Amino acid sequence: MISPATASSHDIPLLSAAQLAPDYWLARSIKPDQILRSSTQIAASNAQLLRTLPDMLDLATAPDSYSKQDLLTLINQSSSLPKAARFYADRRQLTPADFARYQQQMALATLASGDSASVQASTVQASYALVSSRGMIRAFPTLDRVFNDGMDTDIDRFQETAVFPGQPLQVLHYSQDRAWAFVRHYHYSGWLQVKHLALTDKQTALNFANNPDFLLVTGARALTNFTAEQPEVSEVALDMGVRLPLLKDFPALVHDQNPAFSYVVQLPVRRPDGTLALMPALIARSQDVRTGYLPLTRANIIRQSFKFLGERYGWGHDYNARDCSGFIGEVYKTFGMLLPRNTSSLGKQRFAAEMQLDSATDVEKSQALSQTDTGDLLLIPGHVMLVLGRADNGQLFVIHSVNGLSYFQNNGQYYQSKLNGVSITPLLPLQLNQHISYLQALYNIKSLTRETYAHP
């Protein structure tokens, strides 16, 4: 029965307590430990994405200089003025003067006039950096939070995504107060506070990021060990998918601790002058980490996705969390697989086996869903879900980081509430809104684990 929440029950339709454990889905998965794609296949897929998708950037082959006009175009695309009204938390609507203030902070006039220190003649030379601490990429160089007219204050419309320790960046321009840098990341461009990056040369950044001997964070989050001696590397939070080079040569004591029961990694640290220092750090073997990537199997997809279950929804990686596509990206990073950042790119760019369903009927969409398997992506406008499998009653269940919850109850009444976190739900009862179901909204099914689908 589909009914709203009571004091003794949740309001998720068709969900049982047993389904909240990964073992339930492992038991119903076909060949859960079968390797679905080899490391060689994944590397080839990554190379193709970086080479062909407009949202992706291979820093190894990226240009080391940009024309001033190209850079201005890039910044203006990332910091375009919204078409819809925006509001501060006190409900005051942003005015042209507010946006002019943010644009002035971007210092584009200085760049355009050729007065920027980074501009020589008609080109801008790229600098390189490693991310030294988790930071937010923003549409404008400001921490001001702004919202749409619905005033959902969980969704800051200036928030774009996050960067994580050890990731390489191109640094192309600075804000007027030089507290922000315009950076290019492997799948995003935007404004990052400079306190989160450490400048270095291109080769050092790439060698660090691509070191073949690395420790991988496989838990939702891991912490470096506490050390009073070096606070810069003490209890640093590392999200799932972060990889750090392993050190092979180190002294008998590291930060006054015997390293026999920890991993010793290199951690990028920002010096007071903004440049990079590589410092040893300890990560206890009790942390959810491993050397090298996980094999891409259905069992590992289930286990990794469950490590986020119940985490608060974080639009654009806000709240030290992640949104729907961020959740998917972090899970697949543990297999070494790179993905575009935004849901629209996941759904509309051609890079994997897929069934495009824009013009399909509901019957055809249901037939397409019958071909899905654990780890497949289901895309509706503005949202992506990961297939868990089918429950005992045959219902297809997904796991996703999602804000809203709505469906029609058995009495025909439309019910609305919130999930606002990483949740397990059936697909078919859910509504995108009162007039469109998730099934009707489904426009693409994408597989990252197979070569092709048999189209319905």
Side-chain angles (χ1 to χ4, degrees):
M1 178 178 180
I2 299 176
S3 60
T6 67
S8 60
S9 69
H10 61 71
D11 59 349
I12 315 301
L14 307 177
L15 181 69
S16 69
Q19 294 163 353
L20 299 178
D23 287 350
Y24 177 93
W25 302 103
L26 290 169
R28 288 154 183 78
S29 179
I30 300 172
K31 297 181 179 179
D33 295 315
Q34 176 187 4
I35 294 179
L36 303 173
R37 303 201 85 184
S38 68
S39 57
T40 301
Q41 290 173 311
I42 290 172
S45 174
N46 289 343
Q48 182 182 13
L49 260 66
L50 292 170
R51 185 174 61 251
T52 60
L53 293 194
D55 291 1
M56 307 283 283
L57 177 72
D58 184 354
L59 263 67
T61 59
D64 291 324
S65 64
Y66 295 77
S67 74
K68 291 190 292 184
Q69 186 55 55
D70 285 347
L71 180 54
L72 284 167
T73 299
L74 182 63
I75 294 174
N76 283 323
Q77 287 173 344
S78 299
S79 303
S80 60
L81 296 180
K83 296 179 181 178
R86 294 288 183 258
F87 300 83
Y88 294 114
D90 63 2
R91 297 184 178 271
R92 182 174 75 81
Q93 183 173 342
L94 276 72
T95 66
D98 292 314
F99 282 107
R101 178 163 43 87
Y102 298 132
Q103 290 175 314
Q104 183 179 7
Q105 170 72 327
M106 288 158 58
L108 297 188
T110 302
L111 177 62
S113 68
D115 293 335
S116 170
S118 65
V119 178
Q120 298 177 352
S122 60
T123 61
V124 178
Q125 296 301 123
S127 298
Y128 289 84
L130 286 174
V131 177
S132 54
S133 59
R134 191 188 203 270
M136 296 299 173
I137 290 184
R138 308 276 292 169
F140 295 92
T142 178
L143 293 176
D144 291 353
R145 295 176 65 84
V146 305
F147 315 103
N148 65 12
D149 57 4
M151 290 306 298
D152 183 346
T153 55
D154 280 335
I155 300 181
D156 174 4
R157 297 294 172 168
F158 282 177
Q159 177 67 24
E160 300 290 352
T161 190
V163 292
F164 302 97
Q167 292 180 330
L169 303 171
Q170 271 193 338
V171 181
L172 299 177
H173 184 59
Y174 290 93
S175 62
Q176 189 174 51
D177 61 7
R178 299 192 69 83
W180 296 79
F182 184 82
V183 301
R184 293 196 79 183
H185 184 234
Y186 78 92
H187 65 185
Y188 226 90
S189 301
W191 295 94
L192 175 70
Q193 287 180 291
V194 297
K195 68 180 183 180
H196 297 298
L197 62 85
L199 293 168
T200 186
D201 62 274
K202 180 178 183 177
Q203 202 56 53
T204 298
L206 293 178
N207 287 347
F208 184 98
N210 299 321
N211 192 310
D213 297 318
F214 62 90
L215 190 73
L216 178 74
V217 177
T218 45
R221 189 167 288 110
L223 292 175
T224 61
N225 292 8
F226 172 81
T227 169
E229 292 74 18
Q230 295 290 342
E232 305 96 323
V233 299
S234 178
E235 295 186 310
V236 176
L238 305 168
D239 289 70
M240 182 183 286
V242 167
R243 51 175 283 177
L244 297 168
L246 282 162
L247 285 176
K248 296 179 180 178
D249 298 317
F250 42 83
L253 293 179
V254 176
H255 306 317
D256 204 34
Q257 183 178 353
N258 192 307
F261 312 105
S262 300
Y263 295 98
V264 186
V265 298
Q266 273 190 321
L267 204 63
V269 172
R270 177 181 170 86
R271 292 191 181 105
D273 66 358
T275 60
L276 173 70
L278 296 177
M279 298 181 63
L282 295 174
I283 298 179
R285 289 179 180 265
S286 60
Q287 297 279 312
D288 193 345
V289 294
R290 62 170 276 133
T291 57
Y293 290 119
L294 284 163
L296 178 54
T297 66
R298 296 179 185 89
N300 282 334
I301 291 171
I302 291 168
R303 292 189 183 105
Q304 289 305 107
S305 64
F306 263 76
K307 291 177 183 179
F308 288 122
L309 186 62
E311 178 186 75
R312 175 70 180 260
Y313 178 84
W315 169 268
H317 280 101
D318 210 353
Y319 300 156
N320 280 320
R322 60 222 84 238
D323 54 23
C324 60
S325 53
F327 162 69
I328 300 291
E330 256 84 289
V331 168
Y332 273 96
K333 269 195 284 190
T334 60
F335 312 122
M337 187 173 289
L338 303 180
L339 292 173
R341 175 62 181 90
N342 287 337
T343 303
S344 59
S345 300
L346 285 170
K348 296 177 181 178
Q349 294 182 4
R350 311 276 85 92
F351 63 88
E354 62 180 20
M355 288 185 279
Q356 298 178 44
L357 302 169
D358 303 79
S359 57
T361 65
D362 288 357
V363 171
E364 290 169 333
K365 291 179 181 182
S366 296
Q367 291 172 344
L369 288 170
S370 70
Q371 297 187 48
T372 59
D373 203 348
T374 301
D376 287 355
L377 308 184
L378 308 183
L379 292 125
I380 64 177
H383 190 51
V384 60
M385 299 160 277
L386 188 147
V387 171
L388 270 181
R390 285 164 183 80
D392 292 336
N393 60 6
Q395 284 281 345
L396 183 69
F397 274 74
V398 295
I399 183 169
H400 47 149
S401 186
V402 59
N403 192 352
L405 170 69
S406 61
Y407 51 86
F408 284 100
Q409 302 171 49
N410 286 348
N411 61 10
Q413 290 187 339
Y414 182 62
Y415 176 71
Q416 275 188 294
S417 184
K418 274 193 171 186
L419 290 166
N420 211 14
V422 177
S423 310
I424 295 170
T425 67
L427 177 75
L428 295 183
L430 298 191
Q431 292 284 128
L432 183 61
N433 55 50
Q434 192 165 357
H435 307 289
I436 302 173
S437 69
Y438 269 36
L439 179 66
Q440 291 168 327
L442 182 68
Y443 73 89
N444 200 348
I445 299 174
K446 188 159 277 181
S447 174
L448 306 175
T449 63
R450 70 178 85 191
E451 294 301 321
T452 186
Y453 281 108
H455 283 259

